[in-house]
Amino acid sequence: MSELPTEPVPLTGGEAVVRALAAHGVTQAFGIPGTHNLEIYRHLAAYGVAHVTPRHEQGAGYAADAYARVSGRPGVAITTTGPALLNIAAAVGQAYSDSVPLLVVSPGMPLRHPRQPTGLLHEMRSQTEALRGVAAFSHRVSAVEEIAAALARAFTLFTTGRPRPVHIEIPLDLLEAAEPVGRVRIAPQAGPALPAPAELRRAADALRAASRPALVLGGGAREAAAELLALAEELAAPVVTTANGKGIVDESHPLSLGVSLHSPAVQKWLADRDVVLAVGTELAESDLWSAPPELSGTLVRVDVDPAQMYAEVPADVALVGDARQSLRELLAAYRSRGPLGGGAGRQGTAEPRVAREGETRAVPPRAAELRLVRDTGPGDGDARAEALASAREAVTELRLARDAHAEALAGAHRGVAGLRRERDAETRDRDARWLPYLAAIRATLDTDAVITSDSAQCCYYGAIPHLPVAPDGRYLHPTGFGTLGYALPAAIGAKTAAPDRQVIALSGDGGLQFSVQDLATAAQLQLPLPVVVFDNGGYGEIRDEMTARGDAPAAVDLAPVDLPALARAYGGHGEHATTPEALAAALARALTTPGPTVITVPEETAR
C-alpha cells in the first residue's frame, strides 16, 4: 500500500479519497466505474482496496450493505454522477431503515458549475439534496483538503452513534486537481456510550420486581448476544425478536419465541408483561406488521439513539448507550442489588414462590451466600455454633433459590412452547407450503451460514418466522424500507465479507428479477452461491392483497421465466426442485460448485 504522507503533499481529490478510506481500514469497495470517477478507481489498488463490480448501482449498495452487516465494518460503494447515484438511492434508503453503516462516494458537478443547466454529462440540479432524503447526511466538499475531514465525519457517525448511511460528493474538478494536503484526518477512537447510573438502578429495580418480564431484541442488540442470553435465563424471561434481531438468541432455545412480533397471540402476551426490556429496536410497524403495541407494564429501552426513548413507544426507563456495555452494566446492577422476585424483602434475601404456568420468577443463588458457606471455618463454642447455623441457613436459602429458579424456568419454557403453538396455528394454512422446504434448507446448512432474503412471501411469511437461526449464523433481510431485489447482491456482499462461510440467497421470482443481472457478478467471481427461488408466477403478495380487497388481480401475473436457464446463460448453474429432498440435494451441490446456482421451487408444488 502507498505510504500515507504526514507532511503537506500535492494529491488529487481522487487519491485523497482513497487515502482516507485506507486510513480508516477500508479494504473492500463495491461500485461501477464511470467517466467521472476514474480518478478514484486509479488509486484503489495502490492503497490495497479490492473492488467488486455489480451490474447495477443498486446492487452495489445492497452488496456493500450486507458486507457491513456480516463483517462489522462499514460498507463502501463508489458511483459516478447523476443516474448512477440515483440508482443507489434505494439501497441507501434501506441502509438508513436498518441502521447499516454504508458510505457512498460519488463525483459531482464542478465547483463553479452554473445553477442553470448547461447540458453537462449526468447533470442534475442537486445530488446532495437528492441523497439527503435517504441518508443520515449528504455532504459536498469544496476543497481537496476537506475530503479527509468529511470522510472522518462519516466514520465518526458509524462508530459513535446510530450507524446510518452517508453520501460524500467530490466535485469533478477537485477529483482531478492536485492540491497540497496535510496529515490524513482519522475518526477519533471513542469508548462505548454508557447509560446514566440512576437509570441503570431504576432498570435493575424494575427487573428485580418483575413477575412477568419479557425481552424484545432488535438489530441494535446483536453485539450483546451473550449478555442478553444470560439475562434472559437469570430472569426466566421469554425472548422475542424483530427480523433484524433474528438469531441473537438461538431460536431453538426454550425461551425463544423467534421473530413473532407479528403474531396476535404474542402481541397479546407482550401487552400483559409487567416489565418489557426492549434492546436496539424501534418497536415499529414494520416489526409488528401492525400499530405499535400498547404495553400495560414498564418499558425499559436500551438504545444508542436517544430519539428512540421518546419515539412512538416511549420509554419508562431510558438506557441510552451501547447495547453490549449497557447490558453488562445492567446485569451487574441487577446482580449487585439481588433479585427480589417481585416481592418486598430485606436487601440480599428472597422469598421464593413457585411460578404459575406462563409466569416467571427468577431467584438465582447469590454470591454473598456462597462466600458465607465457603468462609465458615473452625471456631470455639458459641461462635462456631453461630457460624454453622448461619451457614446452614445460607445453604437452605440457596437450595430454595435454586429450586425456585428451576421452577421459574420450567414455567417459562412451558409458556413459550404454548405461545409457539398458538402463533403457528394462526398461520398454519398459509405457511405450511414452505415448511418442508425450509426444514430441508436448515438441515443442509452449517449453523454459521449467512442467509439473505428478499421482500418475498417465502421470506417474511416463511423463513423469517420458521427457519431457525443461532447466534453464530446470520439472517439479512431488508426490513422497514422493504426494497425488492436485495437477496442476490446482498449474498455477494456477504460472501465477499466471509468467503469461508456458506451463504445462500432466498427470493421470489418477482423480487429476483429486480437484480437478476448480478448472477453475472457471482459467476465472474466464481462464488459458490445458491439462490433458492420460490416461483409463484408474479407478485404473489400484491395478488393476494388485491383478492382480499375484492379486486380482480391486475398487473401481478408475470410471464414464466426459466430462471435456471437464465443462470446458465450468465455463466452459472440452475436446477428445478419439486420436493424438499430434491431441494436439499441441489443445495448441497450448489454450496460446493463455483458460481451461482439458481434453484427454483414451483409454488404450486410447494402448496
Side-chain angles (χ1 to χ4, degrees):
M1 187 180 81
S2 297
E3 291 295 322
L4 302 181
T6 58
E7 299 298 326
V9 294
L11 293 180
T12 65
E15 185 171 2
V17 167
V18 181
R19 179 182 78 143
L21 293 176
H24 284 94
V26 173
T27 59
Q28 181 68 55
F30 301 83
I32 300 177
T35 298
H36 289 161
N37 64 14
L38 298 182
E39 182 63 18
I40 297 175
Y41 277 87
R42 178 183 179 187
H43 297 282
L44 290 177
Y47 282 89
V49 180
H51 187 270
V52 168
T53 308
R55 299 308 189 258
H56 188 277
E57 286 86 5
Q58 192 173 130
Y62 295 147
D65 169 302
Y67 177 90
R69 299 193 202 203
V70 172
S71 70
R73 301 187 297 275
V76 176
I78 303 168
T79 78
T80 192
T81 41
L85 186 62
L86 293 183
N87 281 345
I88 206 172
V92 175
Q94 188 61 64
Y96 188 93
S97 177
D98 289 346
S99 301
V100 176
L102 170 64
L103 173 63
V104 176
V105 179
S106 80
M109 293 297 101
L111 276 176
R112 293 182 175 84
H113 189 67
R115 289 286 183 181
Q116 293 297 319
T118 66
L120 187 66
L121 179 67
H122 300 330
E123 183 182 59
M124 59 183 289
R125 285 189 294 174
S126 176
Q127 293 188 157
T128 54
E129 288 301 317
L131 268 290
R132 203 163 279 154
V134 288
F137 69 85
S138 177
H139 179 72
R140 175 179 165 90
V141 304
S142 58
V144 174
E145 177 69 28
E146 187 189 352
I147 290 172
L151 289 171
R153 178 188 172 198
F155 282 91
T156 299
L157 171 69
F158 296 155
T159 57
T160 59
R162 183 177 185 176
R164 275 179 156 161
V166 171
H167 167 235
I168 302 297
E169 178 181 305
I170 320 295
L172 283 172
D173 44 352
L174 291 186
L175 278 177
E176 300 288 345
E179 296 180 4
V181 296
R183 192 182 187 95
V184 70
R185 314 287 179 84
I186 301 293
Q189 295 284 334
L194 295 176
E199 291 295 283
L200 280 167
R201 288 192 292 270
R202 289 183 63 209
D205 288 344
L207 293 175
R208 290 168 69 229
S211 62
R212 302 184 309 282
L215 272 61
V216 180
L217 311 182
R222 184 153 304 278
E223 297 305 315
E227 291 77 11
L228 286 163
L229 178 59
L231 187 59
E233 291 182 334
E234 199 150 324
L235 293 170
V239 178
V240 62
T241 76
T242 69
N244 280 344
K246 183 175 174 64
I248 291 176
V249 168
D250 191 330
E251 292 185 298
S252 64
H253 192 286
L255 286 175
S256 175
L257 287 163
V259 184
S260 300
L261 285 171
H262 58 280
S263 161
V266 172
Q267 289 180 9
K268 180 181 178 182
W269 165 84
L270 190 65
D272 185 52
R273 300 301 90 191
D274 58 353
V275 176
V276 173
L277 176 63
V279 186
T281 172
E282 294 176 320
L283 290 175
E285 188 270 344
S286 58
D287 298 319
L288 293 106
W289 305 357
S290 61
E294 293 186 9
L295 303 177
S296 60
T298 299
L299 175 60
V300 180
R301 298 195 75 152
V302 180
D303 207 291
V304 74
D305 184 359
Q308 290 305 311
M309 301 307 169
Y310 46 82
E312 193 162 4
V313 188
D316 298 304
V317 183
L319 302 183
V320 179
D322 170 80
R324 187 178 189 185
Q325 195 60 40
S326 297
L327 267 295
R328 287 178 174 179
E329 296 291 329
L330 179 57
L331 269 168
Y334 173 84
R335 289 166 174 167
S336 69
R337 296 167 84 82
L340 292 180
R346 70 181 189 274
Q347 183 70 30
T349 66
E351 183 176 349
R353 179 179 68 79
V354 174
R356 295 190 298 272
E357 183 165 338
E359 191 173 293
T360 60
R361 180 72 55 175
V363 194
R366 294 181 295 279
E369 295 166 338
L370 291 169
R371 287 195 297 272
L372 176 62
V373 177
R374 181 196 68 195
D375 294 342
T376 300
D380 296 322
D382 293 342
R384 175 173 173 77
E386 184 177 348
L388 285 172
S390 295
R392 291 190 185 101
E393 183 181 351
V395 169
T396 299
E397 277 197 43
L398 283 169
R399 286 173 176 165
L400 289 172
R402 178 198 61 199
D403 294 346
H405 187 240
E407 180 59 28
L409 277 172
H413 294 170
R414 291 192 295 271
V416 167
L419 273 171
R420 286 175 178 170
R421 289 191 293 270
E422 286 187 66
R423 173 201 68 190
D424 294 344
E426 292 167 348
T427 57
R428 183 174 292 117
D429 291 342
R430 183 194 68 198
D431 298 352
R433 53 180 149 163
W434 296 297
L435 299 187
Y437 294 88
L438 295 172
I441 290 170
R442 181 69 276 170
T444 307
L445 294 179
D446 296 338
T447 60
D448 70 344
V450 179
I451 303 162
T452 68
S453 78
D454 226 324
S455 291
Q457 289 181 315
C458 60
C459 298
Y460 46 74
Y461 294 147
I464 287 179
H466 300 300
L467 199 162
V469 172
D472 58 341
R474 285 300 302 272
Y475 190 98
L476 312 185
H477 185 73
T479 61
F481 208 51
T483 53
L484 280 163
Y486 178 84
L488 173 56
I492 292 170
K495 191 67 174 176
T496 303
D500 296 328
R501 291 169 69 176
Q502 294 176 341
V503 176
I504 174 179
L506 298 180
S507 189
D509 56 303
L512 179 69
Q513 293 182 75
F514 275 63
S515 58
V516 71
Q517 65 275 4
D518 272 321
L519 289 171
T521 310
Q524 183 175 354
L525 296 171
Q526 286 293 282
L527 300 176
L529 189 62
V531 182
V532 178
V533 182
F534 288 82
D535 188 343
N536 60 17
Y539 302 122
E541 176 67 17
I542 308 306
R543 181 193 294 132
D544 291 349
E545 289 181 15
M546 287 177 171
T547 301
R549 286 164 51 93
D551 300 342
V556 292
D557 296 320
L558 303 180
V561 175
D562 189 341
L563 293 171
L566 183 59
R568 290 191 288 272
Y570 273 120
H573 317 275
E575 300 192 39
H576 296 284
T578 58
T579 67
E581 295 75 18
L583 175 58
L587 181 56
R589 287 189 292 271
L591 288 166
T592 59
T593 301
T597 302
V598 171
I599 307 167
T600 57
V601 179
E603 192 84 345
E604 61 270 20
T605 302
R607 287 186 187 274

